[in-house]
Amino acid sequence: MSVRAGGWALQLIIFRYSIRFEDVTSEKTKIKFLTDGLLLREMLIDPLLKRYSVVMVDEAHERSISSDILLSLLKKVLRARPDLRVVVSSATLDAEKFLDFFAPDEGGTLTKKEEYGTIVSIEGRTHPVDIFYTSSPTNNYIEKAVDTAMSIHTNEADGDILLFVTGREEIDDTIDMIADHIADLPPGSKTLQPLPLYAGLPIDQQMYVFQQAGENVRKLIVATNIAEASVTIDGIIYVIDTGYVKLRAYDPAVGIERLNVVPISKASATQRAGRAGRTRPGKCYRLYTEGAFEALEPATFPEIQRSNLAPVVLQLMNLGIQNLIRFDYLSNPPSALIIRALDLLFSLGAVDVHGRLTKPLGIRMAELPLEPMLARTLLNAPSFGCFSEMLSISAMMTLQGTAFVTHDGNQKLLEKARRRFAVKEGDHITLYNVYQAFTNPAVGKQSSQWCRENSLNYKALLKAVSVRKQLRNYLDRMGIQEDALASSDVTKVGGIDMAERVQRCLTTGFFAQAARMKSDGSFVTIGGETVLWAHPSSIFFHRKADWVIYHEIQETKGKVYIRDLTTVEMDWLTEYAPEYYKVKQK
DNA sequence: CCAGTTTTA
C-alpha cells in the first residue's frame, strides 16, 4: 500500500484494512482502511466509535447513500465526543456545503465556522491536462467518440486512450465501429486495440485493460463510469468524455427503478479529465460545448434522493434513529421515498403500527446483509423446511445476474447452459441448481474449468459460497439453525415437495411483487396498472406462466423488466399476506 | 417481448 503524506514519518504506522470478507486488522493497527458500509455496521456495536480518534470520509462528493448517512451520524457523534476529529475529503466544488453541514446546532458554544472546521486545499499530484470542447453540440456522441479516437490515434503521440460511455451496449457498439475503422488504416500503421471495461464483465476479462500494450499498439479502453473513480488505469494520456452517465432513479409512486442516461456533473467531468494526467501531461476531449459544461450541475444528484430507501430506513432504525423524516440528512430525501420504505417494512412485519422496529423480526432483518424482502424470506425458511435451500438462493441473489457469463461472447452457449439447470418453477430454483452443481464434489467441484464448460462465472460462484457462509454465521448467532425438515433431495417431505416449499417461502417475502402473465407473454401487476416483461435472462422470457413473484423490477429504454421470477399460486398471496391484499383491494 | 450505471453489508 503506498501512501504519501507530506513529510510525516508514516512508515512507522501500521496500515491495515477491512472489507466484507477480509479483516486483517489487529491490536497493533494504527490506521484502518474500511468501506463506509462496514463502519456503519461497526456503529451498531460501538455507536460513539470509541476505538477511533480520527475518521476520514473519502470521496464524499460522490454522495453515495452510505457516505451521506455516515456523515450524518458522525455529526451526531461529535456532539458526544468533541475529541473526535472528522476529515471529509471531497471535490473542492462542494467543500463549503460539507463544512456548513457540520455547523453546530443553535445554542452551542462554537458558532463561528473557523471554530468547528477548516477547508484545506491540497494540490493534486497529477499532471496538467489540456481540455478541448466541441464548437457545437453533437447529436450522436458514439459516432463522434469513434471519430475522435481514430483522430487521436492517427495524429497524436503515443499513449493510451480512455473513452467514457454509459453502458455495455454502447461499449459493444463502439468497439464494433472501431474494429471497422481499424480495417481501413493504411498498412504498416500502429494498431489500435479496443478493450471493454464495465463492472458486469468477468474479472479475468477486465484484467486486459491493465496489461501493457505490445509495441506499436495503442490501447483504447471503452468504459462505463467504473473507470471514473473505482478503477484506475496507468498509462492513460487521452480521455474522451461523452458527458453522459447512466443513473438510477426510483419512482416511489409505482415502486419502479429506472436507469436513465443523464448529463454528468462538473465534479464528474473534472474527475474524468484527471484520469488523463496520472503519468504525464495529457489531453481531455469533451464531446460537448464549453457552454454545456458550464450548465452542468456542480455535483452528482445524491443517491439518497433517488433510491429505494427500505434498506437504509431499516438500518437507521436499528441504530436507534426514531424519526426518519426529521433525521439530519446532508440532503433530505423526498418524504414519499421514506413513506414508501416504511410501508414496505410494515407489510413485511419489520416495523409495527407505531413505526418502531419489531423484536425480534425487524432487528434480525436489519442485521442480515440482505435487502428486506429477501431477509424476511430467509428468516421464514426454517418454518417451511427449506432453510438450506434458501441460504443458497439468497447467496445466489446477491450476485445480481452475474452467475452466467459468455466466455467467447457466445450467447447461444450461455442459453444452452442455462437450460441445463432450468426448472419449470422459475429462476430462483434454477439458480439453486447451479449452486448445488457447483459445490457438488462429484459435479462442479468448485472448479473454474467446469464453470467455463457451463458458461458460469467462477469468481461470482465462489463469492456466493462465501456469502452463504456469512449468512449462515449470522443466523447461527441469532440461534436460527438448520430446520428439522431439511433434506436436500427434492422428495416429498410433509406432503409438499422441496420446490413448492421454496415457492411458498418466497411468497412470504415477495408477495408485494406479484404479477400474472397474459396470453401475449407480458405480465400485469395485481392492480393491472403496469405492463411488465420478463427480462431476457429469465426462463419465463420464453416459457408460459400464470402467477409469479419477482425479485427485481427495472425500467430500461421505456420498457419495464422483471428479473428472477418464480411461479406461485394466487391463493398463497392472500394466505401469506392477508393484510396486504385486503388493503389493496379497496 | 431481447438485456445490468455503480456500490455495499
Side-chain angles (χ1 to χ4, degrees):
Chain A
M1 183 167 295
S2 92
V3 175
R4 282 200 216 162
W8 297 357
L10 280 187
Q11 54 271 55
L12 297 176
I13 299 175
I14 299 168
F15 295 96
R16 284 293 185 257
Y17 68 92
S18 171
I19 52 176
R20 185 171 187 177
F21 295 109
E22 241 177 304
D23 184 352
V24 294
T25 59
S26 72
E27 349 38 274
K28 286 187 188 155
T29 304
K30 298 291 181 196
I31 297 182
K32 177 157 122 185
F33 293 79
L34 78 173
T35 59
D36 36 23
L38 259 186
L39 191 60
L40 285 175
R41 293 248 143 191
E42 273 191 29
M43 292 183 85
L44 276 175
I45 307 155
D46 180 13
L48 292 180
L49 294 169
K50 291 210 178 85
R51 308 164 57 192
Y52 305 102
S53 50
V54 181
V55 175
M56 177 166 170
V57 182
D58 200 10
E59 310 275 14
H61 62 274
E62 285 182 17
R63 304 302 308 274
S64 74
I65 289 184
S66 45
S67 86
D68 267 24
I69 294 291
L70 191 55
L71 289 174
S72 293
L73 293 170
L74 284 171
K75 183 177 173 184
K76 263 180 95 135
V77 172
L78 278 171
R79 260 179 251 146
R81 277 197 58 191
D83 62 305
L84 183 73
R85 289 290 166 267
V86 173
V87 181
V88 180
S89 95
S90 153
T92 50
L93 291 159
D94 45 16
E96 202 73 42
K97 181 181 165 68
F98 287 106
L99 185 56
D100 289 345
F101 175 70
F102 278 94
D105 299 334
E106 300 280 313
T109 47
L110 302 174
T111 45
K112 292 200 209 93
K113 265 187 193 174
E114 48 277 21
E115 289 175 310
Y116 62 80
T118 315
I119 293 178
V120 180
S121 297
I122 299 173
E123 273 306 302
R125 284 196 277 124
T126 55
H127 303 274
V129 175
D130 284 336
I131 310 259
F132 303 95
Y133 293 97
T134 58
S135 51
S136 58
T138 27
N139 46 19
N140 187 333
Y141 61 76
I142 295 293
E143 254 172 34
K144 181 82 184 166
V146 169
D147 291 347
T148 309
M150 291 315 295
S151 136
I152 293 170
H153 183 57
T154 44
N155 302 317
E156 297 283 338
D158 285 0
D160 297 331
I161 309 171
L162 174 60
L163 162 59
F164 287 98
V165 295
T166 69
R168 187 200 163 139
E169 203 179 344
E170 284 184 1
I171 290 174
D172 291 345
D173 289 352
T174 307
I175 289 178
D176 287 348
M177 287 164 76
I178 290 285
D180 289 345
H181 280 78
I182 294 170
D184 298 340
L185 285 173
S189 41
K190 235 184 124 153
T191 320
L192 185 63
Q193 182 188 24
L195 295 167
L197 179 65
Y198 52 93
L201 196 67
I203 306 287
D204 48 320
Q205 292 175 53
Q206 287 188 20
M207 295 315 280
Y208 294 116
V209 307
F210 299 109
Q211 280 171 18
Q212 227 182 339
E215 206 151 318
N216 270 328
V217 180
R218 188 202 298 269
K219 283 193 292 181
L220 165 64
I221 295 154
V222 189
T224 60
N225 226 24
I226 191 173
E228 188 178 302
S230 314
V231 168
T232 300
I233 307 150
D234 284 330
I236 300 292
I237 307 299
Y238 308 98
V239 162
I240 305 171
D241 175 13
T242 57
Y244 288 93
V245 69
K246 216 178 257 191
L247 276 193
R248 173 179 33 224
Y250 180 77
D251 181 347
V254 279
I256 295 175
E257 216 170 61
R258 295 197 178 91
L259 280 180
N260 299 327
V261 172
V262 295
I264 58 171
S265 65
K266 274 186 188 153
S268 267
T270 308
Q271 179 90 12
R272 287 180 176 190
R275 298 270 132 177
R278 293 183 50 82
T279 359
R280 57 182 159 94
K283 293 180 179 177
C284 174
Y285 300 82
R286 291 183 173 156
L287 306 185
Y288 41 95
T289 64
E290 190 162 7
F293 170 77
E294 291 304 334
L296 295 176
E297 293 294 326
T300 308
F301 197 56
E303 196 183 14
I304 203 166
Q305 295 183 329
R306 51 185 172 84
S307 303
N308 166 15
L309 296 184
V312 199
V313 166
L314 189 60
Q315 230 187 342
L316 284 175
M317 290 179 92
N318 198 28
L319 281 162
I321 312 295
Q322 296 293 336
N323 192 331
L324 287 144
I325 303 275
R326 283 250 185 102
F327 182 66
D328 195 1
Y329 299 96
L330 204 59
S331 304
N332 288 325
S335 53
L337 285 180
I338 296 175
I339 290 163
R340 173 102 195 179
L342 284 169
D343 248 10
L344 174 72
L345 293 173
F346 175 73
S347 73
L348 289 171
V351 167
D352 65 20
V353 284
H354 308 292
R356 278 186 298 245
L357 207 57
T358 56
K359 279 183 209 173
L361 182 60
I363 292 172
R364 286 175 172 173
M365 282 171 62
E367 280 169 3
L368 286 177
L370 296 173
E371 332 119 71
M373 288 192 272
L374 196 55
R376 175 72 212 252
T377 307
L378 180 57
L379 288 166
N380 281 343
S383 62
F384 284 87
C386 59
F387 181 59
S388 171
E389 289 75 10
M390 270 316 303
L391 269 173
S392 307
I393 291 171
S394 303
M396 291 297 281
M397 298 318 288
T398 66
L399 303 183
Q400 300 178 113
T402 58
F404 286 96
V405 282
T406 66
H407 284 288
D408 324 303
N410 192 334
Q411 192 66 28
K412 281 200 177 129
L413 273 182
L414 189 158
E415 293 308 332
K416 252 177 103 176
R418 205 200 302 278
R419 259 176 270 139
R420 233 170 279 150
F421 299 98
V423 286
K424 64 178 194 313
E425 288 83 3
D427 301 313
H428 293 91
I429 298 177
T430 298
L431 286 171
Y432 171 71
N433 287 342
V434 170
Y435 186 92
Q436 282 297 93
F438 177 64
T439 51
N440 187 332
V443 185
K445 309 180 185 83
Q446 301 208 17
S447 90
S448 57
Q449 170 68 23
W450 181 82
C451 286
R452 216 168 308 123
E453 289 160 10
N454 289 282
S455 297
L456 290 165
N457 186 343
Y458 174 61
K459 289 271 163 61
L461 293 187
L462 283 182
K463 190 186 160 210
V465 173
S466 41
V467 170
R468 191 184 189 279
K469 275 193 199 119
Q470 189 194 26
L471 291 174
R472 166 166 288 213
N473 284 341
Y474 271 110
L475 291 158
D476 259 355
R477 261 178 272 147
M478 292 173 196
I480 299 168
Q481 318 235 313
E482 194 88 26
D483 40 67
L485 284 169
S487 104
S488 39
D489 58 328
V490 187
T491 51
K492 298 259 175 190
V493 177
I496 302 175
D497 70 27
M498 182 53 73
E500 182 172 333
R501 277 183 270 148
V502 170
Q503 289 169 294
R504 284 176 181 262
C505 186
L506 283 165
T507 312
T508 66
F510 289 89
F511 54 83
Q513 298 191 337
R516 185 181 203 177
M517 195 189 262
K518 295 193 296 184
S519 53
D520 68 351
S522 69
F523 288 85
V524 278
T525 47
I526 304 281
E529 65 278 1
T530 317
V531 178
L532 316 170
W533 297 91
H535 190 268
S537 64
S538 168
I539 70 159
F540 294 113
F541 185 67
H542 291 302
R543 279 184 213 226
K544 288 276 162 235
D546 190 24
W547 285 95
V548 297
I549 53 92
Y550 53 87
H551 183 235
E552 270 186 330
I553 181 164
Q554 191 175 69
E555 186 179 316
T556 323
K557 292 178 198 157
K559 251 181 124 168
V560 184
Y561 291 101
I562 49 182
R563 284 200 188 89
D564 298 311
L565 326 189
T566 280
T567 59
V568 297
E569 281 174 27
M570 193 193 68
D571 293 349
W572 299 346
L573 295 169
T574 44
E575 181 182 344
Y576 299 125
E579 292 300 316
Y580 186 82
Y581 282 103
K582 215 190 309 174
V583 176
K584 293 283 138 155
Q585 265 151 34
K586 267 196 269 182

